[in-house]
Amino acid sequence: MDLEKFFDRVNHDVLMVRVAKRVKDKKLLRLIGRYLKAGIMIGGVIHDHKEGTPQGGPLSPLLSNILLDDLDKELERWRRRICRYADDCNIYVKSKAAGEQVIQSIIRFLTKKLRLQVNKEKSAINLPWNRKFLGYTMTPHQSPKLKVSQNSIRRAKARVKEAIRQGRGRSLPKVAGELTTFLRGWVNYFRLSQVKIAFEELDQWIRRKLRLILWRQWKTPRTRAKTRNEKIQL
């Protein structure tokens, strides 16, 4: 389940009521209120915030969890197993019929209580291994294992392709060095994956792409014929 434009549509009054239940300092409450209403500059003109929280702001993730804590407690009251991070949430039920019943109940709850809308295009009732959560998915086994979703792999490849395209005319070590920072972060994020073949296949794919840089740099058939049998260390 995904909430439609969550950070853009958070109702300030609904949020501040829930913040006030946890924060008793009036000065701090006023400061949070000013943070929410702080305008943004577009084309040199300041636009006031009437709803939503600043995306990328250090306080926004905390405020989102305070607001959606009501949803967590409601689902726990319904005895549903959930996994939520900010506005992205997976709810696990035993059947499609149960899923349809739960999603309709959630839509009513979010609309009436929190004044939020469910993104119907990104939300669906499906088997766990056909869905992704924070870039992960799972295998369709009796004892499922975490693995990297295909969508995450496609995005990683697109990032690598863009770096290589921009690297035309530059040395191979420089391009590889720039990719290293991204790849280390990517691998570290998906370190919980229990299926390692995705990493091996991505590694082989990246090596082939880097070899193409050398192939283009050799340019002439004579240079390519001379070096094609040499071992390339990547």
Side-chain angles (χ1 to χ4, degrees):
M1 183 190 73
D2 184 83
L3 300 181
E4 186 173 0
K5 296 182 179 179
F6 173 72
F7 288 100
D8 293 333
R9 294 186 175 178
V10 169
N11 184 281
H12 291 171
D13 293 334
V14 173
L15 173 59
M16 289 305 298
V17 167
R18 283 152 180 79
V19 173
K21 291 179 180 179
R22 295 167 171 80
V23 178
K24 302 304 179 183
D25 189 325
K26 293 184 179 180
K27 291 184 179 180
L28 181 56
L29 287 173
R30 285 197 296 270
L31 183 61
I32 295 173
R34 291 174 62 185
Y35 168 81
L36 292 173
K37 291 181 172 61
I40 58 175
M41 184 172 290
I42 302 176
V45 180
I46 297 178
H47 297 261
D48 293 333
H49 261 155
K50 296 182 179 179
E51 61 180 1
T53 62
Q55 288 200 38
L59 196 58
S60 295
L62 175 61
L63 294 176
S64 70
N65 281 329
I66 291 175
L67 179 64
L68 293 176
D69 184 59
D70 284 13
L71 174 62
D72 295 343
K73 290 179 178 177
E74 187 71 10
L75 289 170
E76 289 173 0
R77 189 175 68 82
W78 297 345
R79 296 183 179 180
R80 300 300 181 186
R81 295 183 178 181
I82 66 170
C83 186
R84 182 181 67 80
Y85 183 85
D87 61 326
D88 197 0
C89 178
N90 276 10
I91 305 166
Y92 300 98
V93 295
K94 294 183 178 180
S95 66
K96 184 176 181 180
E100 291 174 348
Q101 182 180 6
V102 168
I103 194 68
Q104 292 303 319
S105 299
I106 289 175
I107 290 174
R108 288 194 297 269
F109 175 82
L110 291 172
T111 302
K112 293 181 180 180
K113 297 291 185 180
L114 303 182
R115 299 186 187 179
L116 296 171
Q117 298 294 323
V118 173
N119 189 328
K120 295 182 179 179
E121 292 183 0
K122 293 184 178 180
S123 302
I125 302 170
N126 210 327
L127 297 170
W129 47 86
N130 290 334
R131 302 292 294 169
K132 62 182 180 62
F133 183 68
L134 302 179
Y136 284 90
T137 185
M138 61 182 68
T139 60
H141 300 134
Q142 187 172 3
S143 299
K145 294 181 179 180
L146 277 178
K147 69 174 186 177
V148 184
S149 71
Q150 287 299 315
N151 194 39
S152 298
I153 295 173
R154 283 194 294 269
R155 286 202 301 267
K157 287 184 175 181
R159 178 75 175 270
V160 172
K161 284 181 180 178
E162 179 63 19
I164 291 176
R165 185 188 66 80
Q166 294 177 353
R168 291 178 179 176
R170 291 186 292 171
S171 67
L172 179 61
K174 188 171 183 179
V175 176
E178 292 177 357
L179 283 175
T180 297
T181 302
F182 163 70
L183 292 173
R184 281 178 177 170
W186 192 88
V187 171
N188 186 56
Y189 177 83
F190 289 108
R191 67 186 183 278
L192 298 177
S193 175
Q194 298 166 292
V195 180
K196 304 302 180 185
I197 190 171
F199 298 96
E200 297 171 359
E201 292 177 346
L202 183 61
D203 177 72
Q204 294 171 5
W205 181 85
I206 292 173
R207 287 173 184 270
R208 290 195 297 271
K209 291 298 180 182
L210 291 176
R211 289 189 182 102
L212 287 176
I213 295 178
L214 288 179
W215 188 251
R216 287 196 298 264
Q217 289 176 353
W218 290 338
K219 295 182 180 179
T220 65
R222 178 178 295 180
T223 304
R224 291 176 175 177
K226 180 180 177 181
T227 56
R228 65 183 177 180
N229 293 325
E230 293 180 1
K231 186 176 181 181
I232 303 172
Q233 296 294 338
L234 293 177

